[in-house]
Every structure is written in structure tokens, then in C-alpha cells.
Amino acid sequence: WVNKIDGKELKLLAEFKEDSVINKMISPYKDSIDRDLSKELPFAPETLDKTGEWQTSIGNFFADVTFLKGSALLQENHQKNLDFILLNSGGIRSIIPKGAVTARNAYEMMPFENNLTVVTLKGEQVLELLNYLIIEHKPHPISGIQFTVSKDKKPEKIKIQGLDFDLAKNYRVGTNDYLANGGDNMLFFKKGIERLDLNYKLRDVLIDYFKTADSLPVPKDQRIFIDQ
């Protein structure tokens, strides 16, 4: 029987000095990355954050930017139109503070390697999607779609791209690959009749938008209405 175990700590590296060979090798790359991440891009006129019951300023902004960039890429590469966007509020990990915005803000906001994906859903799956949002009661970012939550907790008065929802139609929904795979229990995406992975990281969506904007919009339009 084992009744005693002895052990001792072995120092694999006694000291890591600031002027070590490794530090000298990585320093130019680190400095270059720090400069790129710290470069000031647009200006945020106010803080965008996750405050809100059904919608948030940062969620609306992120969904709108994703729609803008995703729609252009889908049209360019596949000659198809994007109908609306659904992302997950939990994927947004930081605010965008008032003031100068940098690429570092994009990395802090979207630290994951998620790619933009477009899934074509039948009308019945769009209804599943809306019922999911109502049941979840979380401010998941949406763009291009509006609806009312009825008194009996059903989606009604649905509009997509300003047009009345048509149950017989198919709709192309932009999301991320995690959700397209059924993540966050969004199983309706797995029922899609077509899936197009655009190989465009959502972080890069933000950075590319930052590079072209002078000032960030703060969208405050209502997208989910509650029937009192």
C-alpha cells in the first residue's frame, strides 16, 4: 500500500528577464499589434451597452452593422438578398464606451471566433424563431424584423423589411455559425433549407465598419412591441 508520497517543485525556467531572447523576438510583433488595436477609428457619441429588457443599444447597433455588411457580401458572392438578422445577446461581451472607438473595442465586444452565416428558413420556422424570442425574454439583437408580443404571448403584426410576414415565403436570416448549429437552443436554425457560411468573422464585421464610419449611430427605434 502507498502510505507516503514525496514531491518537490522543479524550476524549469529560473528567471524570465525583460531582455531575454524570446522577449526581443516577440516585442516588434507585440508593439505592432498594440498600435493597430489602439488606433482611433470612429467616435461613439454615447455609450452603447446591454441595458434593456427586450432591446439594447449595443444589440441594435451590432445587428444593424451585421445586416449592412452581411447583405452586401451575400449579394456580391451569391446574388441573394438578406431578410433579417438574429444574434445572441450573450455573445456580446463588452460595451462600447462613449468617445474614441478602436479595434480593441471590437475584440473586447466579440472575443469569439464566430463567423457570419445565412440560413434560409421557411415561414413556419420564422414563427418558431419569434416564439423562441418571446419565451426567452432576452434582448437578442435583431435587425430587419419587427413584431408585437400579444397579451397571450404570441407574435403578431410581424413585418420583415417593412412588409407583412408571409407564412408561405422563405426568409434568409443572418446569424453566427454557433447559433446556426443550434446553439443557445435555437434549434429552428437546424431546420433551415439552405445554409451559406460567409467566412466573415463577426469581429471583422465590426472592425470593417469602424474603419468606414466617422461617428457610430445609436439606434433607438423600437423593434419589439408589447401589447398592453
Side-chain angles (χ1 to χ4, degrees), residues 52-63:
E53 182 179 4
W54 290 95
Q55 302 172 188
T56 68
S57 59
I58 198 167
N60 284 1
F61 165 77
F62 189 29

Side-chain angles (χ1 to χ4, degrees), residues 5-228:
I5 298 177
D6 291 324
K8 62 180 179 178
E9 181 180 353
L10 296 177
K11 292 186 177 182
L12 300 180
L13 186 61
E15 292 183 8
F16 183 79
K17 298 180 179 180
E18 287 299 317
D19 62 346
S20 68
V21 174
I22 294 176
N23 197 47
K24 287 181 179 179
M25 288 175 60
I26 67 173
S27 182
Y29 302 101
K30 179 180 180 298
D31 292 345
S32 176
I33 291 172
D34 283 342
R35 282 195 300 272
D36 289 341
L37 292 180
S38 300
K39 186 182 299 182
E40 294 184 1
L41 298 169
F43 180 83
E46 61 182 83
T47 296
L48 282 74
D49 61 25
K50 295 176 70 172
T51 302
E53 182 179 4
W54 290 95
Q55 302 172 188
T56 68
S57 59
I58 198 167
N60 284 1
F61 165 77
F62 189 29
D64 286 352
V65 169
T66 303
F67 185 91
L68 177 70
K69 292 294 186 180
S71 183
L73 188 60
L74 184 65
Q75 185 60 238
E76 178 183 349
N77 291 351
H78 301 281
Q79 295 73 53
K80 295 181 178 181
N81 295 321
L82 188 60
D83 291 301
F84 66 95
I85 292 289
L86 170 62
L87 302 169
N88 56 326
S89 62
I92 300 174
R93 292 307 178 100
S94 178
I95 66 171
I96 296 179
K98 178 180 179 179
V101 178
T102 67
R104 181 173 276 105
N105 292 123
Y107 276 85
E108 293 170 346
M109 182 176 160
M110 289 299 303
F112 308 111
E113 298 299 306
N114 295 124
N115 282 298
L116 181 57
T117 299
V118 176
V119 181
T120 302
L121 299 179
K122 293 181 179 180
E124 59 193 87
Q125 272 77 61
V126 173
L127 287 182
E128 286 185 41
L129 180 157
L130 296 176
N131 279 304
Y132 170 91
L133 293 179
I134 294 171
I135 292 170
E136 280 279 293
H137 200 153
K138 294 179 181 178
H140 293 306
I142 59 173
S143 180
I145 186 170
Q146 295 177 330
F147 67 98
T148 296
V149 180
S150 70
K151 292 179 180 178
D152 59 350
K153 306 299 181 184
K154 300 293 182 183
E156 60 182 20
K157 301 177 184 176
I158 306 163
K159 288 189 176 293
I160 298 175
Q161 292 301 309
L163 302 175
D164 290 337
F165 168 68
D166 185 347
L167 183 63
K169 284 186 62 176
N170 298 329
Y171 293 92
R172 296 188 187 93
V173 187
T175 188
N176 64 53
D177 50 355
Y178 167 70
L179 299 180
N181 291 330
D184 281 6
N185 210 32
M186 295 193 187
L187 302 179
F188 43 82
F189 278 129
K190 298 187 74 173
K191 301 177 184 178
I193 60 176
E194 182 184 45
R195 172 171 168 165
L196 297 171
D197 293 298
L198 301 185
N199 297 315
Y200 193 12
K201 292 190 187 304
L202 291 181
R203 182 192 307 122
D204 292 335
V205 168
L206 284 171
I207 293 173
D208 288 347
Y209 180 82
F210 288 166
K211 290 177 179 178
T212 62
D214 294 323
S215 178
L216 297 189
V218 185
K220 298 181 179 180
D221 58 302
Q222 197 165 352
R223 303 175 187 195
I224 302 176
F225 301 83
I226 310 301
D227 190 3
Q228 303 293 340

